[in-house]
Amino acid sequence: MTREEKRARKTELQRQRRAANPEKAREATRAWQAANRETMRECRRRYRAKNPKQSIEHNRKWYAANREKTIARVRRWQAAHPNPEKKREYDRKRHAANPVKARARAREWQASHPAQSRERVRKWIAANPERFREGARKRARRWQTANPEKMRKSCLQWKTANPEACRAYAANRRALNKGAEGQHTAFDIAALWKAQDGKCAACRGTLPVAGKHRYHVDHIVALSKGGSNWPKNIQLLCPRCNLSKHNRDFTEWARIINPAGI
Ligand SMILES: [Zn+2]
């Protein structure tokens, strides 16, 4: 028997043995591979170098057939080798390549991770307050344009619930129309009220709170004379004093009602 014949016979015997007990044969192969990992790796490397096309095709097929497994393995590897810079770059490219798909993916993730999603949003807002405000303004405008009826209703509700803020808003609009600079809020008026102890800045009489004859918000230097609409140019007067002052400068008016300066 020649050497080739001997080898062929041995191979044939092995084949038969494997066919007779495939489970045992597979187990033996696995055990051999586990015991000879270096050799296995070297074999694979040599095969890949010799058959690059087949190798790539084989990998592609394997990934397609074991998608879940592959993803899990990649995730494990990423968790063990964090590289946020590289991941961001990858995400950016992936997003640019198919923004529609990327948005759908993001929505899916948000729906399945509500708590993490909220936390992420919170962090982003804290890091980008200006961009967040700008986005919120845009969204609000879009909603207002799309829901004019609801908008009118909620506006009315807000006005009824916030008369002071409403007055401040109207005053700011008037000042803006007169070309005056500055603005004040209902909080500024409340602070003034506290500072003046609820009394008229001129006659020190108690300021009327409600009704037709309530206190007036007065510009110390009239807007028509170049006064600003900032809180520092504002005082609260009783209606009587304010109507008597009209649009005179406060010091000028004070001289008129109290020429001796007492
Ligand atoms: Zn007064």
Side-chain angles (χ1 to χ4, degrees):
M1 208 187 279
T2 65
R3 202 182 225 184
E4 275 71 35
E5 280 170 342
K6 267 189 186 167
R7 192 181 284 166
R9 191 159 165 259
K10 197 179 168 196
T11 312
E12 178 55 24
L13 273 173
Q14 259 176 0
R15 201 191 58 73
Q16 279 171 12
R17 257 208 307 279
R18 290 187 77 91
N21 200 338
E23 196 38 61
K24 201 175 164 192
R26 260 197 297 277
E27 190 47 53
T29 304
R30 261 197 292 273
W32 187 89
Q33 284 171 348
N36 298 273
R37 297 185 70 152
E38 270 314 310
T39 314
M40 284 297 295
R41 205 166 290 154
E42 183 54 26
C43 273
R44 274 200 297 271
R45 202 191 56 72
R46 237 180 293 153
Y47 175 84
R48 276 200 297 271
K50 225 161 117 188
N51 309 282
K53 267 188 197 158
Q54 286 96 319
S55 174
I56 289 166
E57 183 58 18
H58 172 87
N59 282 346
R60 206 190 54 72
K61 270 190 192 151
W62 192 90
Y63 287 141
N66 299 275
R67 194 165 172 272
E68 293 306 314
K69 238 184 186 171
T70 309
I71 291 171
R73 196 167 63 185
V74 169
R75 292 253 158 81
R76 265 203 307 280
W77 194 89
Q78 282 171 345
H81 306 82
N83 190 343
E85 199 35 63
K86 195 174 166 190
K87 180 158 189 337
R88 256 197 297 279
E89 184 53 32
Y90 172 79
D91 286 345
R92 243 197 305 279
K93 273 187 191 155
R94 202 172 172 212
H95 190 283
N98 198 334
V100 176
K101 250 186 179 174
R103 268 194 292 277
R105 254 197 324 272
R107 265 194 295 274
E108 214 172 276
W109 186 87
Q110 284 159 7
S112 59
H113 301 78
Q116 278 129 297
S117 175
R118 264 195 302 277
E119 180 60 16
R120 257 193 201 182
V121 170
R122 204 189 56 67
K123 270 191 190 154
W124 186 86
I125 292 173
N128 304 277
E130 268 311 312
R131 283 177 67 190
F132 171 69
R133 266 197 290 277
E134 185 48 39
R137 268 194 289 272
K138 271 188 191 156
R139 277 192 297 280
R141 266 196 293 277
R142 262 205 304 277
W143 187 89
Q144 287 161 6
T145 320
N147 303 279
E149 251 327 299
K150 280 184 191 170
M151 184 58 201
R152 253 195 297 281
K153 225 174 170 177
S154 81
C155 228
L156 207 65
Q157 264 169 12
W158 186 85
K159 277 182 182 170
T160 318
N162 302 277
E164 295 308 320
C166 236
R167 282 182 82 187
Y169 180 78
N172 285 330
R173 278 295 281 272
R174 276 197 302 277
L176 198 66
N177 286 342
K178 283 183 183 171
E181 70 150 39
Q183 50 192 316
H184 63 269
T185 65
F187 292 107
D188 297 322
I189 302 302
L192 266 176
W193 179 277
K194 216 171 160 192
Q196 292 183 204
D197 200 19
K199 296 197 168 71
C200 171
C203 71
R204 306 301 297 161
T206 303
L207 286 169
V209 191
K212 214 171 157 190
H213 300 293
R214 57 183 292 156
Y215 66 89
H216 288 199
V217 174
D218 175 58
H219 292 103
I220 298 169
V221 178
L223 296 181
S224 59
K225 295 192 172 165
S228 86
N229 190 34
W230 292 118
K232 65 174 188 282
N233 189 39
I234 283 170
Q235 63 184 352
L236 306 181
L237 294 179
C238 70
R240 205 167 53 88
C241 285
N242 192 43
L243 295 174
S244 129
K245 184 197 168 215
H246 192 43
N247 67 348
R248 272 185 284 255
D249 186 79
F250 184 62
T251 41
E252 179 193 336
W253 171 65
R255 261 199 307 278
I256 292 167
I257 59 161
N258 186 8
I262 304 160

Coordinates of all heavy atoms in Angstrom, one line a residue, residues 141-196:
R141 N -44.7 78.7 18.5 CA -45.3 79.5 17.4 C -46.0 78.6 16.4 O -47.1 78.9 15.9 CB -44.2 80.3 16.6 CG -44.0 81.7 17.2 CD -43.3 82.6 16.2 NE -41.9 82.1 16.1 CZ -40.9 82.5 17.0 NH1 -41.3 83.3 18.0 NH2 -39.7 82.1 16.9
R142 N -45.3 77.4 16.1 CA -45.9 76.5 15.2 C -47.3 76.0 15.7 O -48.3 75.9 15.0 CB -45.0 75.2 15.0 CG -44.2 75.3 13.8 CD -43.8 73.9 13.3 NE -43.1 73.1 14.4 CZ -41.8 73.2 14.6 NH1 -41.0 74.0 13.9 NH2 -41.2 72.5 15.5
W143 N -47.3 75.7 17.1 CA -48.6 75.2 17.7 C -49.6 76.3 17.6 O -50.8 76.0 17.3 CB -48.3 74.8 19.1 CG -49.5 74.1 19.7 CD1 -49.8 72.8 19.7 CD2 -50.5 74.8 20.5 NE1 -51.0 72.6 20.4 CE2 -51.5 73.8 20.8 CE3 -50.8 76.1 20.8 CZ2 -52.6 74.1 21.5 CZ3 -52.0 76.4 21.5 CH2 -52.9 75.4 21.9
Q144 N -49.2 77.5 17.9 CA -50.2 78.6 17.9 C -50.8 78.8 16.5 O -52.0 79.1 16.4 CB -49.5 79.9 18.4 CG -49.2 80.0 19.9 CD -48.2 81.0 20.2 OE1 -47.7 81.7 19.4 NE2 -47.7 80.9 21.5
T145 N -50.0 78.8 15.5 CA -50.5 78.9 14.1 C -51.4 77.8 13.8 O -52.4 78.0 13.1 CB -49.3 78.9 13.1 OG1 -48.2 79.7 13.7 CG2 -49.7 79.6 11.8
A146 N -51.1 76.6 14.3 CA -51.9 75.4 13.9 C -53.2 75.4 14.7 O -54.2 74.7 14.4 CB -51.1 74.2 14.1
N147 N -53.3 76.0 15.9 CA -54.4 75.9 16.8 C -54.9 77.3 17.2 O -54.9 77.6 18.4 CB -54.1 75.1 18.1 CG -53.6 73.7 17.7 OD1 -54.3 72.8 17.5 ND2 -52.3 73.6 17.7
P148 N -55.4 78.1 16.3 CA -55.8 79.5 16.7 C -56.9 79.6 17.7 O -56.9 80.4 18.6 CB -56.2 80.1 15.3 CG -56.5 78.9 14.4 CD -55.6 77.8 14.9
E149 N -57.9 78.6 17.6 CA -59.1 78.7 18.5 C -58.6 78.4 19.9 O -58.9 79.2 20.9 CB -60.1 77.6 18.1 CG -61.4 78.2 17.5 CD -61.8 79.5 18.1 OE1 -62.0 79.6 19.3 OE2 -61.9 80.5 17.4
K150 N -57.9 77.3 20.1 CA -57.3 76.9 21.4 C -56.5 78.1 22.0 O -56.5 78.3 23.2 CB -56.5 75.7 21.3 CG -57.3 74.4 21.3 CD -56.4 73.2 21.3 CE -57.2 71.9 21.0 NZ -56.3 70.8 20.7
M151 N -55.7 78.7 21.1 CA -54.8 79.8 21.5 C -55.6 80.9 22.1 O -55.2 81.4 23.1 CB -54.0 80.2 20.2 CG -53.0 81.2 20.5 SD -51.8 80.6 21.6 CE -51.1 82.2 22.2
R152 N -56.7 81.4 21.4 CA -57.5 82.5 21.9 C -58.0 82.2 23.2 O -58.0 83.0 24.1 CB -58.6 82.7 20.9 CG -58.4 84.0 20.1 CD -59.7 84.4 19.4 NE -60.2 83.4 18.4 CZ -59.7 83.3 17.2 NH1 -58.7 84.1 16.8 NH2 -60.2 82.4 16.4
K153 N -58.5 80.9 23.4 CA -59.1 80.5 24.7 C -58.1 80.6 25.8 O -58.3 81.1 26.9 CB -59.7 79.1 24.5 CG -61.0 78.9 25.1 CD -61.5 77.5 24.8 CE -62.8 77.1 25.5 NZ -63.2 75.8 25.1
S154 N -56.9 80.0 25.6 CA -55.9 79.9 26.6 C -55.4 81.3 26.9 O -55.0 81.6 28.1 CB -54.8 78.9 26.3 OG -53.9 79.5 25.4
C155 N -55.3 82.1 25.9 CA -54.9 83.5 26.1 C -55.8 84.2 27.1 O -55.4 84.9 28.0 CB -54.9 84.2 24.7 SG -53.4 85.1 24.4
L156 N -57.1 84.1 26.8 CA -58.1 84.7 27.6 C -58.0 84.2 29.1 O -58.1 85.0 30.0 CB -59.5 84.4 27.1 CG -60.6 85.4 27.3 CD1 -60.3 86.7 26.6 CD2 -62.0 84.9 26.9
Q157 N -57.9 82.9 29.2 CA -57.7 82.3 30.5 C -56.5 82.9 31.3 O -56.6 83.3 32.4 CB -57.5 80.8 30.4 CG -58.8 80.0 30.6 CD -58.6 78.6 30.2 OE1 -57.5 78.1 30.0 NE2 -59.7 77.8 30.1
W158 N -55.4 83.0 30.6 CA -54.2 83.5 31.2 C -54.4 85.0 31.6 O -54.0 85.4 32.7 CB -53.0 83.4 30.2 CG -51.7 83.8 30.8 CD1 -50.9 83.0 31.5 CD2 -51.1 85.1 30.7 NE1 -49.8 83.7 31.9 CE2 -49.9 85.0 31.5 CE3 -51.5 86.3 30.2 CZ2 -49.0 86.0 31.6 CZ3 -50.6 87.4 30.4 CH2 -49.4 87.2 31.1
K159 N -55.0 85.8 30.7 CA -55.2 87.2 31.0 C -56.0 87.3 32.3 O -55.8 88.2 33.1 CB -55.9 87.9 29.9 CG -55.0 88.3 28.8 CD -55.7 89.0 27.7 CE -54.8 89.4 26.5 NZ -55.6 89.8 25.4
T160 N -57.1 86.5 32.4 CA -58.0 86.6 33.6 C -57.2 86.2 34.9 O -57.4 86.8 35.9 CB -59.2 85.7 33.4 OG1 -59.6 85.8 32.1 CG2 -60.3 86.0 34.4
A161 N -56.3 85.2 34.7 CA -55.6 84.7 35.9 C -54.4 85.6 36.2 O -53.9 85.6 37.4 CB -55.1 83.3 35.6
N162 N -53.9 86.4 35.3 CA -52.7 87.2 35.5 C -52.9 88.7 35.2 O -52.2 89.2 34.2 CB -51.5 86.6 34.7 CG -51.2 85.2 35.1 OD1 -50.6 84.9 36.1 ND2 -51.8 84.3 34.3
P163 N -53.8 89.4 35.8 CA -54.0 90.8 35.4 C -52.8 91.6 35.5 O -52.6 92.5 34.7 CB -55.1 91.2 36.4 CG -55.1 90.3 37.5 CD -54.6 89.0 37.0
E164 N -52.0 91.4 36.5 CA -50.8 92.3 36.7 C -49.8 92.1 35.6 O -49.3 93.1 35.0 CB -50.1 92.0 38.1 CG -50.9 92.3 39.3 CD -51.5 93.7 39.3 OE1 -50.7 94.6 38.9 OE2 -52.6 93.9 39.7
A165 N -49.5 90.8 35.2 CA -48.6 90.6 34.1 C -49.2 91.2 32.9 O -48.4 91.7 32.0 CB -48.4 89.1 34.0
C166 N -50.5 91.1 32.7 CA -51.1 91.7 31.6 C -50.9 93.2 31.5 O -50.6 93.7 30.4 CB -52.6 91.4 31.7 SG -53.3 90.5 30.3
R167 N -51.1 93.9 32.6 CA -50.9 95.3 32.6 C -49.4 95.6 32.3 O -49.2 96.6 31.5 CB -51.2 95.9 34.0 CG -52.6 96.0 34.3 CD -52.9 96.6 35.6 NE -52.8 98.0 35.6 CZ -52.8 98.8 36.7 NH1 -52.9 98.2 37.9 NH2 -52.7 100.1 36.7
A168 N -48.5 94.9 32.8 CA -47.1 95.1 32.5 C -46.8 94.9 31.1 O -46.1 95.7 30.4 CB -46.2 94.1 33.4
Y169 N -47.4 93.9 30.5 CA -47.2 93.6 29.1 C -47.7 94.7 28.2 O -47.0 95.2 27.3 CB -48.0 92.3 28.7 CG -47.8 91.9 27.3 CD1 -46.7 91.3 26.8 CD2 -48.9 92.1 26.4 CE1 -46.6 90.9 25.5 CE2 -48.7 91.8 25.0 CZ -47.6 91.1 24.6 OH -47.5 90.8 23.3
A170 N -48.9 95.2 28.6 CA -49.5 96.3 27.8 C -48.6 97.6 27.9 O -48.4 98.3 26.9 CB -50.9 96.6 28.3
A171 N -48.1 97.8 29.2 CA -47.3 99.0 29.4 C -46.0 98.9 28.6 O -45.6 99.9 28.0 CB -47.0 99.1 30.9
N172 N -45.4 97.7 28.5 CA -44.2 97.5 27.7 C -44.5 97.8 26.3 O -43.7 98.4 25.6 CB -43.7 96.1 27.9 CG -43.0 95.9 29.3 OD1 -42.5 96.8 29.8 ND2 -43.1 94.7 29.8
R173 N -45.6 97.3 25.8 CA -46.0 97.5 24.4 C -46.1 99.0 24.1 O -45.6 99.5 23.1 CB -47.3 96.8 24.0 CG -47.2 95.4 23.7 CD -46.3 95.2 22.5 NE -47.1 95.4 21.3 CZ -47.8 94.4 20.7 NH1 -47.9 93.2 21.2 NH2 -48.5 94.7 19.6
R174 N -46.8 99.7 25.0 CA -46.9 101.2 24.8 C -45.6 101.9 24.8 O -45.3 102.7 23.9 CB -47.8 101.8 25.9 CG -49.3 101.6 25.7 CD -50.1 102.6 26.6 NE -49.8 102.3 28.0 CZ -50.4 101.4 28.7 NH1 -51.4 100.6 28.2 NH2 -50.1 101.2 30.0
A175 N -44.7 101.5 25.7 CA -43.4 102.1 25.8 C -42.6 101.8 24.5 O -41.9 102.7 24.0 CB -42.7 101.6 27.0
L176 N -42.7 100.6 24.1 CA -42.0 100.2 22.8 C -42.5 101.0 21.7 O -41.7 101.5 20.9 CB -42.2 98.7 22.6 CG -41.2 98.0 21.7 CD1 -39.8 98.0 22.3 CD2 -41.7 96.6 21.3
N177 N -43.8 101.2 21.6 CA -44.3 102.0 20.5 C -43.9 103.5 20.6 O -43.8 104.1 19.5 CB -45.9 102.0 20.5 CG -46.4 100.6 20.1 OD1 -45.7 99.9 19.4 ND2 -47.6 100.3 20.4
K178 N -43.6 104.0 21.8 CA -43.1 105.3 21.9 C -41.6 105.4 21.7 O -41.0 106.5 21.9 CB -43.5 105.9 23.3 CG -44.9 106.2 23.4 CD -45.2 106.8 24.8 CE -46.7 107.1 24.9 NZ -47.0 107.4 26.3
G179 N -41.0 104.3 21.4 CA -39.6 104.3 21.2 C -38.7 104.3 22.4 O -37.5 104.6 22.4
A180 N -39.3 104.0 23.6 CA -38.6 104.0 24.8 C -37.9 102.7 25.0 O -38.3 101.7 24.5 CB -39.5 104.3 26.0
E181 N -36.7 102.8 25.7 CA -36.0 101.5 25.9 C -36.4 100.9 27.2 O -36.9 101.6 28.1 CB -34.5 101.7 25.8 CG -33.9 102.5 26.9 CD -32.5 102.1 27.2 OE1 -31.7 101.8 26.2 OE2 -32.1 101.9 28.3
G182 N -36.2 99.6 27.4 CA -36.4 98.9 28.7 C -37.7 98.3 28.8 O -38.6 98.5 28.0
Q183 N -37.8 97.4 29.8 CA -39.1 96.8 30.1 C -39.2 96.4 31.5 O -38.2 96.3 32.2 CB -39.3 95.5 29.2 CG -38.1 94.6 29.2 CD -38.2 93.6 28.1 OE1 -39.3 93.0 27.9 NE2 -37.2 93.3 27.4
H184 N -40.4 96.2 32.0 CA -40.6 95.7 33.4 C -41.6 94.6 33.4 O -42.4 94.4 32.5 CB -41.0 96.9 34.3 CG -42.3 97.5 33.9 ND1 -42.5 98.6 33.0 CD2 -43.6 97.2 34.3 CE1 -43.7 98.9 32.9 NE2 -44.5 98.1 33.6
T185 N -41.7 93.9 34.5 CA -42.6 92.8 34.7 C -43.5 93.0 35.9 O -43.3 93.9 36.7 CB -41.8 91.5 34.9 OG1 -41.2 91.6 36.2 CG2 -40.8 91.2 33.8
A186 N -44.5 92.1 36.0 CA -45.4 92.1 37.2 C -44.6 91.9 38.4 O -45.0 92.5 39.5 CB -46.4 91.0 37.0
F187 N -43.5 91.2 38.4 CA -42.6 91.0 39.6 C -42.0 92.3 40.0 O -41.9 92.6 41.2 CB -41.5 90.0 39.3 CG -42.1 88.6 39.1 CD1 -42.1 88.0 37.9 CD2 -42.6 87.9 40.2 CE1 -42.6 86.8 37.7 CE2 -43.1 86.6 40.0 CZ -43.1 86.0 38.8
D188 N -41.6 93.1 39.0 CA -41.0 94.4 39.3 C -42.0 95.3 40.0 O -41.7 96.0 41.0 CB -40.5 95.1 38.0 CG -39.4 94.3 37.3 OD1 -38.5 93.8 38.1 OD2 -39.4 94.3 36.1
I189 N -43.2 95.3 39.5 CA -44.3 96.1 40.1 C -44.6 95.6 41.6 O -44.7 96.5 42.5 CB -45.6 96.0 39.3 CG1 -45.3 96.5 37.8 CG2 -46.7 96.8 39.9 CD1 -44.8 97.9 37.7
A190 N -44.6 94.3 41.8 CA -44.8 93.8 43.1 C -43.7 94.2 44.0 O -44.0 94.5 45.2 CB -44.9 92.2 43.0
A191 N -42.5 94.2 43.5 CA -41.3 94.6 44.3 C -41.4 96.1 44.7 O -41.1 96.5 45.8 CB -40.0 94.4 43.6
L192 N -41.9 96.9 43.7 CA -42.1 98.3 44.0 C -43.1 98.6 45.1 O -43.0 99.4 46.0 CB -42.5 99.0 42.7 CG -41.4 99.7 41.8 CD1 -42.0 100.2 40.6 CD2 -40.7 100.8 42.6
W193 N -44.2 97.8 44.9 CA -45.3 97.9 45.9 C -44.7 97.7 47.3 O -45.1 98.4 48.3 CB -46.4 96.9 45.6 CG -47.5 96.9 46.5 CD1 -47.6 96.2 47.7 CD2 -48.7 97.6 46.4 NE1 -48.8 96.5 48.3 CE2 -49.5 97.3 47.5 CE3 -49.3 98.4 45.4 CZ2 -50.8 97.8 47.7 CZ3 -50.5 98.9 45.6 CH2 -51.3 98.6 46.8
K194 N -43.9 96.6 47.4 CA -43.3 96.3 48.7 C -42.4 97.4 49.2 O -42.4 97.8 50.4 CB -42.5 95.0 48.6 CG -42.6 94.1 49.8 CD -42.0 92.7 49.5 CE -41.7 92.1 50.9 NZ -40.8 90.9 50.7
A195 N -41.5 97.9 48.3 CA -40.6 99.0 48.6 C -41.3 100.2 49.1 O -40.8 100.9 50.0 CB -39.7 99.2 47.4
Q196 N -42.4 100.5 48.4 CA -43.2 101.8 48.8 C -44.2 101.5 49.9 O -44.9 102.4 50.3 CB -43.9 102.3 47.5 CG -43.0 102.8 46.4 CD -43.8 103.4 45.2 OE1 -43.3 103.4 44.2 NE2 -45.1 103.8 45.5

